[in-house]
Amino acid sequence: MKPAPCRKIFLAPAPPPDRPTSLYVHVPFCRSRCRYCDFCSSPLQPAQAERAVRALLAELRRRQALLAEPLATLFVGGGTPTVLPGPQLDALLAELAPLAGEGAEFTVEANPGTLTAEVLESLRAAGVNRLSLGVQSFDAAELALLGRIHSSEQAERAFADARRAGFANVSLDLIYGLPGQSLATWADSLERALALGPDHLSAYCLSLEPGTALYDDVAAGRQDEPDEDTQRACYEHLLARTADAGLGAYEISNFARPGHACRHNLVYWHNRPYLGIGPSAVSYAHGVRAANQRDLETYCHLVEAGRDPAD
């Protein structure tokens, strides 16, 4: 059979270089590094937190004039922002909260293993109104394979705690296409996620990234390579079940109840301007796309010296 010809994809012209009304803040810490992750993140050392948050806030103040205020969307991601000690998390949120306009979407990412009643209270007090929980799987063996710090029970408890704390917009992240994963184990994780009643679901096919522990295991033959036919079957099942559950697909990996599509991510996908703060954060502001230094020490040193941390 002849392969289908490739379709040419033409990008729309870039929009005018408006002042961004969206802000992303990257917190480069986790409790431990997951085995599949190549994001800019490292296990938190207590002495690093205060310096890093000072640098984040210093960069924000220096670049705040680039923003159009009030902001329509704020997104604090990582890493795991909720791994920050209470004083640093509160200081960061206190500086961000006044930037949000009325009706703004204010998202913070969280790992279920770091979500306590105190953290949830701090988030709500700062005006955070959207919580994104990185669950990835409800299967114990898969969580161990991925190097996650939480159990499926902790994930379910974190979701319930978030609802009790007043979060009316909660998103869950899942990953499919894992080494050794079957359609049955994926279907079970998906059902447990949908049973919680999330307002938004992000479901990503695993990408094996060089330099990660999981990539090394597959390359060395210690783990099977993910099976493409199983990945395809998992995705087709995902499309069917999210539709049945009332979560409409608005991007290849993202599904939401009506009115709950992530407005911040839509800024990226519609090629609108945004400002990124923190190590490795990307900005598209005033017609220029730039990425900050990825190394935390280099990033902090540049900001402390009053220099531009862009790489």
Side-chain angles (χ1 to χ4, degrees):
M1 181 184 295
K2 278 182 68 176
C6 286
R7 288 189 306 155
K8 291 182 179 178
I9 299 176
F10 297 95
L11 296 179
D18 302 330
R19 294 171 73 197
T21 58
S22 292
L23 174 68
Y24 173 78
V25 178
H26 186 79
V27 177
F29 300 119
C30 286
R31 186 173 294 170
S32 63
R33 190 162 181 80
C34 293
R35 303 184 71 252
Y36 61 93
C37 179
D38 76 333
F39 291 169
C40 175
S41 179
S42 60
L44 176 65
Q45 304 297 323
Q48 292 179 317
E50 187 171 354
R51 184 187 184 199
V53 170
R54 272 202 317 267
L56 289 174
L57 296 180
E59 186 193 1
L60 174 61
R61 292 166 192 151
R62 192 170 300 137
R63 303 183 71 193
Q64 196 166 331
L66 295 174
L67 291 168
E69 296 182 33
L71 296 180
T73 72
L74 299 89
F75 197 109
V76 184
T80 307
T82 49
V83 80
L84 286 172
Q88 280 74 51
L89 180 61
D90 289 345
L92 179 62
L93 295 175
E95 190 105 2
L96 295 175
L99 304 179
E102 185 177 354
E105 178 191 85
F106 191 172
T107 302
V108 170
E109 291 184 332
N111 183 304
T114 66
L115 211 53
T116 65
E118 292 75 21
V119 169
L120 286 166
E121 183 179 347
S122 292
L123 298 178
R124 291 293 294 153
V128 176
N129 54 23
R130 184 175 183 273
L131 193 64
S132 179
L133 289 176
V135 175
Q136 315 315 353
S137 176
F138 285 90
D139 181 89
E142 291 175 0
L143 289 170
L145 173 73
L146 294 170
R148 301 297 290 173
I149 65 169
H150 63 85
S151 66
S152 58
E153 292 77 18
Q154 280 179 299
E156 290 167 337
R157 190 160 55 247
F159 188 94
D161 289 345
R163 287 296 200 212
R164 277 192 291 271
F167 282 94
N169 193 351
V170 182
S171 177
L172 299 178
D173 281 9
L174 296 177
I175 298 178
Y176 64 91
L178 311 180
Q181 185 180 49
S182 67
L183 177 59
T185 58
W186 165 243
D188 182 67
S189 277
L190 183 58
E191 290 306 314
R192 290 181 69 173
L194 294 175
L196 295 174
D199 307 286
H200 185 280
L201 180 73
S202 296
Y204 302 104
C205 186
L206 175 71
S207 176
L208 288 171
E209 301 294 342
T212 64
L214 194 52
Y215 177 95
D216 291 343
D217 281 351
V218 171
R222 293 187 293 269
Q223 288 285 348
D224 292 335
E225 190 167 346
D227 179 72
E228 289 187 6
D229 290 336
T230 303
Q231 288 179 329
R232 184 180 301 110
C234 288
Y235 185 62
E236 290 170 351
H237 181 74
L238 169 68
L239 294 179
R241 284 297 297 121
T242 48
D244 289 344
L247 295 168
Y250 71 102
E251 191 268 348
I252 191 168
S253 301
N254 286 270
F255 310 83
R257 300 194 186 285
H260 288 83
C262 179
R263 289 158 49 195
H264 185 86
N265 283 343
L266 286 170
V267 169
Y268 303 150
W269 298 331
H270 291 165
N271 203 33
R272 300 300 302 169
Y274 55 91
L275 186 65
I277 298 297
S280 84
V282 174
S283 296
Y284 176 42
H286 303 276
V288 176
R289 196 177 302 277
N292 280 351
Q293 288 277 350
R294 184 180 176 94
D295 179 72
L296 177 60
E297 177 65 29
T298 304
Y299 167 81
C300 289
H301 176 75
L302 289 171
V303 173
E304 289 161 356
R307 295 167 57 191
D308 186 351
D311 196 17

